Amino acid sequence: VKGIKFNLENEGYTVETAYDGEEALEKAADPDIDLIVLDLMLPKLDGIEVCQRIRGFSNVPIIMLTAKGDDMDVLMGFENGADDYITKPFNIIELKARMKAILRRTQIARKSDHERPSQLTVGDITIDYNHRNVLVRGGTVELTSKEFDLLEFLARNEGQIYSRDNLLSEVWGYEYPGDVRTVDVHIRRIREKIEENPAEPVHVMTKWGVGYYYKA
């Protein structure tokens, strides 16, 4: 933790540290926090529970650190609201690149909120920008922050096919190839929430060998 703090402060970031889950929750409540780097292995409250509780009161971006490339750890993190993950041990350069990408996307989203209409309706799905939620056939569906961003991007560009790397660049802001499992997990979670039959989607579609697209 001290090494990460030292490196980030040298980059000009103001860094707050927490050494257990309860302390992390307390500090996450600060409205001035722009991004959280969250280790899954925390005493008192583990990272999954901390992430879940933070999502009860904040949409602040969360990058989770996992000690192993365990798909279940990654899936649990995404299901509970994480935006991205890095497997330990990691290069500090990679962490800083991920942070910059997320913060840049967050700033762009805030600016565009003032330029676009309050809602986007495509087919039987309405995306509410003000409350960052989605109405599906008249009922509200709660998406995580990154699920919302991904669905909104695909719906706004209806019919356009995007590869996984394209989506990592456009939605996550990566300027280099990332882990495409991140996209696949989010697509699957979105389908489970908005499609009547996720196994046979009618909105979030796959073009085999190419990528994903939205169909009204």
Side-chain angles (χ1 to χ4, degrees):
V1 174
K2 291 181 180 179
I4 295 174
K5 178 180 172 68
F6 175 79
N7 276 279
L8 293 180
E9 287 180 337
N10 278 349
E11 288 284 320
Y13 292 103
T14 299
V15 182
E16 292 285 342
T17 56
Y19 293 91
D20 62 58
E22 292 179 355
E23 185 182 8
L25 272 177
E26 291 176 6
K27 294 195 172 181
D30 184 342
D32 292 328
I33 296 293
D34 294 314
L35 183 146
I36 294 172
V37 180
L38 178 64
D39 199 322
L40 291 188
M41 303 297 290
L42 288 174
K44 296 188 178 179
L45 295 175
D46 66 33
I48 294 295
E49 185 169 357
V50 172
C51 186
Q52 184 180 45
R53 293 195 188 186
I54 289 173
R55 282 293 170 256
F57 60 81
S58 173
N59 282 319
V60 63
I62 297 173
I63 300 175
M64 62 180 184
L65 305 181
T66 174
K68 52 189 177 182
D70 190 306
D71 288 347
M72 186 56 67
D73 283 348
V74 174
L75 178 59
M76 287 294 292
F78 285 147
E79 287 180 345
N80 286 283
D83 296 273
D84 197 3
Y85 80 97
I86 298 179
T87 301
K88 297 188 292 185
F90 57 86
N91 188 312
I92 190 65
I93 295 174
E94 180 183 6
L95 175 61
K96 288 189 286 190
R98 299 284 184 100
M99 291 176 59
K100 287 178 181 178
I102 287 179
L103 290 171
R104 183 170 60 249
R105 293 296 302 174
T106 302
Q107 291 169 355
I108 292 172
R110 286 173 180 168
K111 289 180 181 178
S112 63
D113 281 344
H114 301 290
E115 301 170 357
R116 60 190 175 189
S118 61
Q119 293 185 340
L120 170 68
T121 298
V122 188
D124 56 4
I125 294 177
T126 297
I127 297 171
D128 183 339
Y129 295 117
N130 291 339
H131 300 95
R132 287 185 65 82
N133 60 27
V134 176
L135 297 174
V136 180
R137 294 174 291 278
T140 301
V141 174
E142 295 294 336
L143 302 182
T144 67
S145 177
K146 196 54 63 180
E147 288 167 359
F148 180 91
D149 292 341
L150 179 55
L151 177 62
E152 184 269 335
F153 178 79
L154 289 172
R156 181 160 43 86
N157 296 280
E158 180 191 356
Q160 178 68 43
I161 302 170
Y162 293 92
S163 70
R164 293 168 175 84
D165 283 340
N166 288 156
L167 292 171
L168 283 172
S169 175
E170 295 289 346
V171 179
W172 278 263
Y174 297 166
E175 296 175 351
Y176 56 91
D179 188 337
V180 295
R181 291 182 305 169
T182 298
V183 177
D184 294 337
V185 169
H186 280 76
I187 289 290
R188 180 165 61 81
R189 293 290 298 164
I190 291 171
R191 284 172 171 165
E192 288 173 352
K193 294 179 179 181
I194 73 168
E195 302 281 3
E196 289 190 272
N197 181 0
E200 297 181 4
V202 296
H203 291 302
V204 180
M205 309 296 291
T206 301
K207 181 70 173 179
W208 295 108
V210 183
Y212 296 109
Y213 65 100
Y214 186 93
K215 178 182 177 183

